[in-house]
Amino acid sequence: MEKGKSIDALMRHIRNDHNVSINGGKNKKSLMNMGYYHGYKRYRFIKSTKNIQNFDDFSQITAIYSFDFEIKRIFYPMIILVETSMKNRTIDAVVTRQNSDIESIYKTKLTDYLDYDRNSNDKKEIRKFRDGIKGRLDFRSVMDQTIGYNYGKNDALSHFVHNNKPIPLWVFFELITFGQFGHFISRLSKEWRLKVSEANGLQSASFNQNGRMLQNIVFTLTDLRNATMHNSAIFDANFNHDGIARGLKQFLMLETNIEDITFDKIIDYLILLIFVLKKYGYSKTEIKAYVRQFESAKERLFKSIPRSTYGSLLGMDSNKKIEGIYSFISRT
């Protein structure tokens, strides 16, 4: 059985087998802090282990690592603001002058399967009907498991259960993940998806006719949120494995007037976060501060790594996209 290598042996391995210059106590501390397996090995490639970068100095690895850490620090508060604001607007849209408990909402509003004709001759229509029922039943399971797991752990939930009162939507939203919130939106009937979309500032008739744009935004940001919260690498945007809705890309390019938004680069996630925060009325000063921080991080990266690696990570049009973000923010 092969024995584990010490940090000194790993440094020799990096020098001799990877042809990367690494020496001295400073580099030794940096390697120990980032880790060899989770850190060094991950930051050597972009998206795939087949795309190993031709680094020759350990400082280039630490530059990637530092950039990754910095953009997670920038994105974290933005994601929290988006999630909180989005849930609050959704609650307001769903419960105003309506029954506000999750059971009533499940029975009367989480009925997207009724948008489809089960007696249709169109096989796709029937499949959507059945998928809608399956999704609704799956969400029922999420509801029960969430309430059961958090009973006794969440004071607000326990209060309503102890007093045999219906559980309000706001309590349920405190307990579910951002991804589960996205599934909640996806299970709403078309009528209520459109109302919730409008409450969240997504009124585009051409790109949101079925009211699915909001859930597309949530699902796109969920993987970014999870990677950020769990300290996984996000620098090369290799965390979204379910794909991005084509309509969202087109919608975002139309709304921001920024071209080539593909979500293949991490800067495109910045654009989406900025777009949502502006929709929610956050000040231009506050939003621009996030962009300036990202811009500074990417400029430090530009000075520290090969031009080809920088282009693969951020695209040679990243400065143009930054300019587009500032222009979008400055609009009235």
Side-chain angles (χ1 to χ4, degrees), residues 38-52:
H38 171 76
Y40 169 80
K41 289 190 71 173
R42 176 61 183 90
Y43 295 109
R44 288 185 68 218
F45 67 84
I46 296 176
K47 293 189 183 296
S48 169
T49 53
K50 297 178 181 178
N51 193 17
I52 295 290

Side-chain angles (χ1 to χ4, degrees), residues 22-34:
I22 178 171
N23 293 283
K26 182 179 178 180
N27 283 346
K28 183 176 180 178
K29 289 179 182 179
S30 294
L31 180 60
M32 183 67 80
N33 288 338
M34 79 166 62

Side-chain angles (χ1 to χ4, degrees), residues 6 22 26 36 46 67 69 89 93-94 118 144 149 184 202 239 244 275 280 324:
S6 68
I22 178 171
K26 182 179 178 180
Y36 175 81
I46 296 176
F67 175 73
F69 184 85
R89 283 165 173 75
V94 171
R118 66 176 178 178
D144 293 339
Y149 176 79
F184 171 90
L202 304 175
F239 46 78
I244 309 296
F275 167 77
Y280 290 161

Side-chain angles (χ1 to χ4, degrees), residues 275-294:
F275 167 77
V276 177
L277 289 177
K278 184 180 179 185
K279 284 289 182 181
Y280 290 161
Y282 287 91
S283 72
K284 295 178 181 179
T285 300
E286 183 177 4
I287 299 174
K288 284 182 179 179
Y290 292 123
V291 183
R292 284 195 295 271
Q293 292 173 44
F294 185 94

Side-chain angles (χ1 to χ4, degrees), residues 253-271:
M253 286 189 283
L254 177 68
E255 289 286 313
T256 63
N257 200 30
I258 299 173
E259 297 179 353
D260 196 32
I261 296 176
T262 64
F263 292 98
D264 189 50
K265 306 287 190 295
I266 194 64
I267 192 171
D268 293 344
Y269 289 86
L270 175 70
I271 295 171

